[in-house]
Amino acid sequence: IMTCHRYNDALPMAINSVVGQSYPDVQFIFVDDHSSKNDVKKYDSILEGVNVTRIRMSKNSGTYVCRNAGLKLAEGEFITFADSDDWIHPQKIANSLDFLITNDAYLVCGRYIRMNADGKIHWNGIRFARFALMGMTFKASVLKEKLLGFDERMRHSADSELFERARVVLGEKRVIRYPTIEVVALESASSITS
């Protein structure tokens, strides 16, 4: 599930990184958070010929409301997320599912690095690679029925809240972080995780 409110120059790359996954059966859900008509025309152009389920929100609601809207249409046994300005490794979905299934987990989370448009990796003063909560992978039934999706009252950090809630509800042995870097997040002032 990918949400988008405004077109950004990294969007084509982000979409291609989802469409180009090595995992053979991916349902790509693109949720437009009530973007401008001009941006919708750009989405139409980028998504032409792509096997995608599209949702357009009736009003700007925030990424977590949009993710929950995508959850309602998700048909797969597993669910993951991709931000509209991030590149995900071609084997991200396959790797995360392998880790989830092998470890009998309900939720797994790899790592990401943040990079600017010039290719410089962002250093936050502590580490280069952080846990990619924006790209967590879930067993769908658990996310939908036990965790009930994202907290829609939050405009930012709801992925962190969901991760911590999952650890409490599901138990720490079923919620696992793993060390593989699978996401490159674009460093920008408009990013809610910057």
Side-chain angles (χ1 to χ4, degrees), residues 64 67-68 71 79 81 107 133-134 136-138 142-144 146-152 154 156-170 175:
Y64 303 111
R67 284 181 174 191
N68 283 343
L71 286 175
I79 295 174
F81 301 90
L107 183 169
L133 297 177
M134 79 294 261
M136 294 181 283
T137 300
F138 296 83
V142 172
L143 178 57
K144 292 178 179 183
K146 289 188 179 182
L147 298 173
L148 306 176
F150 291 89
D151 185 339
E152 295 185 358
M154 301 178 75
H156 59 82
S157 300
D159 40 13
S160 299
E161 183 279 330
L162 179 59
F163 182 83
E164 294 303 327
R165 180 166 27 110
R167 291 177 67 183
V168 170
V169 172
L170 307 173
V175 177

Side-chain angles (χ1 to χ4, degrees), residues 15-35:
I15 289 171
N16 287 333
S17 73
V18 171
V19 174
Q21 288 295 298
S22 65
Y23 190 77
D25 190 19
V26 175
Q27 178 192 14
F28 177 33
I29 300 173
F30 184 85
V31 186
D32 167 10
D33 192 11
H34 201 75
S35 303

Side-chain angles (χ1 to χ4, degrees), residues 76-125:
E77 187 179 349
F78 306 99
I79 295 174
T80 193
F81 301 90
D83 283 353
S84 65
D85 60 352
D86 292 351
W87 173 87
I88 61 173
H89 189 280
Q91 294 175 331
K92 188 262 186 209
I93 292 175
N95 289 343
S96 62
L97 291 181
D98 182 56
F99 198 84
L100 186 140
I101 293 165
T102 300
N103 291 282
D104 195 26
Y106 293 139
L107 183 169
V108 295
C109 177
R111 289 184 171 265
Y112 79 101
I113 58 171
R114 188 166 291 289
M115 182 181 293
N116 70 18
D118 295 329
K120 183 178 178 187
I121 296 173
H122 181 261
W123 168 255
N124 70 356

